[in-house]
Amino acid sequence: MTTDTTPQTAAPAQRGPAPTALLYAVIGGSLLTIVSAFLAWTWTDEFPGDLTYYGSPAGLQFLSLVGAALTAVHALAALGVKGFRWLTPAGSRKAVWLLSLGTFAATWFTVVSICWVLGGVVNLEPGAYVALVGSLVPALAAYKIPDDAHKAAAPARKLPSWAEILIIAAVFAVGLFVVTYGIDTDDKEPQLFVAYLIVVLFASVALLRSGLVERLQTITANNRQVTLIGTMAAAVAFPFIQQSGDTYTLIAVNILIFATVALGLNVVVGLAGLLDLGYVAFLGVGAYTAALVSGAASSAFGVQFPFWAAVLTGALASLVFGVVIGAPTLRLRGDYLAIVTLGFGEIFRIAMGNLDGVSGPKITNGPNGIPNIPHLEFFGYNFGESHVVFGVTLGAYANYYLLMLVVMAFVIVIFTRAANSRIGRSWVAIREDETAATAMGINGFRVKLIAFALGATLAGLAGTIQAHVNTTVVPENYVFAGPVPPNSAFLLAAVILGGMGTVRGPILGAALLFLIPAKLSFLQDYQLLGFGIALILLMRFRPEGLIANKRAKLEYHDDTADQGPTDLATAKAGA
């Protein structure tokens, strides 16, 4: 009896419609959406944004146009059209599907909003119906494209240095435009900002899935100095391209303050693993100190320090408070430490409200706070006055924006240097296992106290600038949780949302958590509800944060389970 050892050929899987036909459907639907952007979507200008014009896309129509254009070019890349294949280095159909889904969501959201605001589908013009069909077809077609519809592109060839520099410059230019567009959206058009968030969210995930972001990271890694210069140039250019003066620059200033404080908290939570629920109090210590020594009329001290002295005094006061609070409490761990820090935050707020001359010494003017804080002045440059720089008039908030860029750069240098130092490695060891770290000779109390003191100092530094930006300091600005950031809950969420232990993560988290409430103020009553839902979804699908380090990826995702022992060890060593 013989046994047939001939390998059997598996039956081909059913793939449905040809991927090429589906991709052509994606392109056709995207072109239809682009055409719809040049048509009127409604007949009346009562809907925010005025979508009544032909041949001139309004903001909401422009977002649908951009989403459709990105979908079309990625579909061309999936087809292997020469000149477009570089858009999908990973060769994943997910990029096409995510872009088409984002365009569909933004377009249908706009049309549904028109019907909701104006009272029925009778208010729709033909352009809206064209947009509905045009955005629906690519979403359905892209969903049916099999995963192996197109193969991965060949490895990128080495580009000359000048070409890589041009790519970096173009990326920063596009990034500056995208960020400026979001910040500059009219507060009277909340639908525009929501659609903007939808398109940016889906486009960002699509670029990650396509492998394009990873390829860009390789280019920037090869040109670190150029990337650093480009980052600073793009950040400095922001106030110079504002068409509405300081109207939206104030949002950018507050984002930088929020992000700087989040980076300080990242030292405590992200590196050392200490759960601090009263961190915003250190921001308040710096702000109140700067207000008391900067010549405010209601200051109890009646002194006016120069700029550098006020900043150093605020940072030093926060450092002292950090040591005083940390010394007796940092021997606690976990929940007990969190409760103590939460109590400190509440004690600070209540104490500032009681130092009014009635319940206690008259120092902080009680609940009324310290108003009319003079603007900073440095070498004759008054930050509260408008100045013409390179032919552009910069207002007060633009001046403080540029100052906060310098402060943030300083904080980033301190954070990265500390994280990569011996003390930084001790923080990580304490965070991972304090008992094991202590057994290896690390003085846990001293290491944690240094992290607590450094984090408090960085928060106090940002607080000194915040006091002069707002020109007033009141206790209600420094609570554990509230509808308006920064507060301790939002600061902690910014670190967790962005990615603990990283530099870019807390900055991104702080920007999102400040910008979204500022633009969607009509949802203020439901803000915390939406915030909680977002955190639940994040913990479920991306617990390491939006921008995670390699160690966090290894901890939260078992992607190396199918690797051999050597590969797994190499991956962990690279973390």
Side-chain angles (χ1 to χ4, degrees):
M1 181 177 179
T2 60
T3 302
D4 185 9
T5 58
T6 305
Q8 301 295 320
T9 303
Q14 297 295 324
R15 293 166 52 116
T20 302
L22 293 173
L23 289 171
Y24 277 123
V26 171
I27 296 173
S30 300
L31 293 177
L32 195 61
T33 306
I34 293 174
V35 170
S36 72
F38 294 90
L39 304 175
W41 288 15
T42 184
W43 62 274
T44 175
D45 59 359
E46 292 182 5
F47 183 79
D50 196 358
L51 310 181
T52 62
Y53 290 97
Y54 284 84
S56 179
L60 288 164
Q61 295 167 317
F62 175 74
L63 291 174
S64 294
L65 185 153
V66 170
L70 290 174
T71 304
V73 296
H74 276 77
L76 290 173
L79 284 170
V81 177
K82 187 176 181 180
F84 293 93
R85 285 176 291 183
W86 60 272
L87 287 171
T88 55
S92 173
R93 64 102 179 177
K94 288 291 186 182
V96 178
W97 181 61
L98 287 168
L99 286 169
S100 61
L101 189 61
T103 306
F104 165 79
T107 303
W108 280 65
F109 167 77
T110 301
V111 175
V112 171
S113 297
I114 294 173
C115 298
W116 179 270
V117 173
L118 299 181
V121 296
V122 68
N123 296 286
L124 297 179
E125 287 289 296
Y129 295 104
V130 175
L132 290 176
V133 176
S135 61
L136 178 62
V137 171
L140 295 177
Y143 178 75
K144 298 298 293 183
I145 298 175
D147 288 338
D148 58 348
H150 57 285
K151 297 181 179 180
R157 60 186 180 87
K158 177 66 177 177
L159 296 175
S161 298
W162 62 267
E164 292 186 342
I165 293 174
L166 286 179
I167 291 174
I168 293 173
V171 169
F172 278 114
V174 173
L176 179 60
F177 171 79
V178 172
V179 172
T180 303
Y181 189 91
I183 294 178
D184 287 357
T185 53
D186 194 343
D187 293 342
K188 297 179 180 179
E189 300 181 43
Q191 296 89 350
L192 177 59
F193 185 73
V194 173
Y196 163 82
L197 286 180
I198 293 173
V199 173
V200 171
L201 173 63
F202 280 93
S204 300
V205 179
L207 293 178
L208 285 171
R209 291 298 186 94
S210 69
L212 189 59
V213 172
E214 183 177 355
R215 182 163 291 182
L216 290 175
Q217 288 176 342
T218 302
I219 294 176
T220 56
N222 296 333
N223 302 270
R224 293 185 180 274
Q225 293 184 348
V226 175
T227 303
L228 180 60
I229 294 173
T231 303
M232 291 303 300
V236 170
F238 174 79
F240 290 91
I241 61 176
Q242 291 294 297
Q243 301 297 323
S244 54
D246 270 2
T247 302
Y248 299 112
T249 310
L250 176 60
I251 296 178
V253 175
N254 286 316
I255 288 175
L256 290 180
I257 294 174
F258 193 10
T260 303
V261 181
L263 278 174
L265 181 59
N266 198 22
V267 174
V268 180
V269 177
L271 295 181
L274 305 174
L275 184 55
D276 189 346
L277 299 182
Y279 185 76
V280 75
F282 297 119
L283 176 69
V285 170
Y288 265 100
T289 303
L292 290 171
V293 301
S294 295
S298 57
S299 172
F301 297 158
V303 297
Q304 185 170 2
F305 287 3
F307 162 72
W308 61 270
V311 171
L312 290 179
T313 304
L316 182 61
S318 295
L319 170 63
V320 172
F321 268 84
V323 173
V324 170
I325 299 301
T329 61
L330 287 179
R331 300 187 186 278
L332 302 174
R333 297 187 186 183
D335 299 339
Y336 301 99
L337 177 62
I339 293 173
V340 170
T341 55
L342 176 61
F344 164 65
E346 289 302 299
I347 290 172
F348 170 80
R349 179 182 62 83
I350 295 172
M352 293 301 101
N354 287 336
L355 298 179
D356 56 357
V358 178
S359 302
K362 188 175 182 179
I363 299 177
T364 64
N365 204 26
N368 296 325
I370 304 177
N372 302 321
I373 301 172
H375 287 286
L376 292 174
E377 187 170 344
F378 190 58
F379 288 110
Y381 188 95
N382 192 312
F383 285 82
E385 299 176 354
S386 298
H387 300 273
V388 178
V389 181
F390 301 120
V392 178
T393 301
L394 298 180
Y397 295 135
N399 297 328
Y400 283 112
Y401 171 86
L402 296 175
L403 175 62
M404 277 307 305
L405 283 182
V406 177
V407 173
M408 172 168 280
F410 174 76
V411 171
I412 290 175
V413 170
I414 295 297
F415 179 86
T416 53
R417 294 287 185 179
N420 296 326
S421 65
R422 184 178 66 178
I423 191 69
R425 292 191 292 272
S426 299
W427 287 336
V428 174
I430 291 292
R431 182 192 68 192
E432 297 300 322
D433 193 328
E434 185 173 352
T435 303
T438 303
M440 296 301 294
I442 296 176
N443 188 332
F445 172 76
R446 182 175 66 87
V447 167
K448 291 191 292 185
L449 185 60
I450 292 175
F452 212 72
L454 178 59
T457 304
L458 298 181
L461 180 63
T464 60
I465 310 298
Q466 185 200 41
H468 291 87
V469 172
N470 296 337
T471 67
T472 185
V473 178
V474 293
E476 286 72 20
N477 288 343
Y478 310 102
V479 297
F480 169 70
V484 180
N487 52 63
S488 293
F490 271 70
L491 287 170
L492 184 62
V495 175
I496 297 174
L497 172 67
M500 293 190 297
T502 65
V503 173
R504 294 174 297 168
I507 295 176
L508 176 60
L512 292 175
L513 290 181
F514 190 93
L515 183 60
I516 294 176
K519 287 296 183 180
L520 302 180
S521 57
F522 69 98
L523 293 177
Q524 187 171 0
D525 293 339
Y526 307 98
Q527 191 178 114
L528 293 178
L529 173 62
F531 172 64
I533 294 174
L535 281 182
I536 292 174
L537 294 176
L538 180 73
M539 292 300 100
R540 170 60 182 86
F541 297 104
R542 195 173 176 83
E544 72 274 21
L546 298 177
I547 301 177
N549 56 26
K550 295 180 180 179
R551 183 188 299 272
K553 290 181 179 179
L554 288 174
E555 289 178 354
Y556 290 108
H557 297 283
D558 192 16
D559 295 335
T560 56
D562 56 347
Q563 298 180 7
T566 303
D567 295 337
L568 180 58
T570 304
K572 290 186 176 180

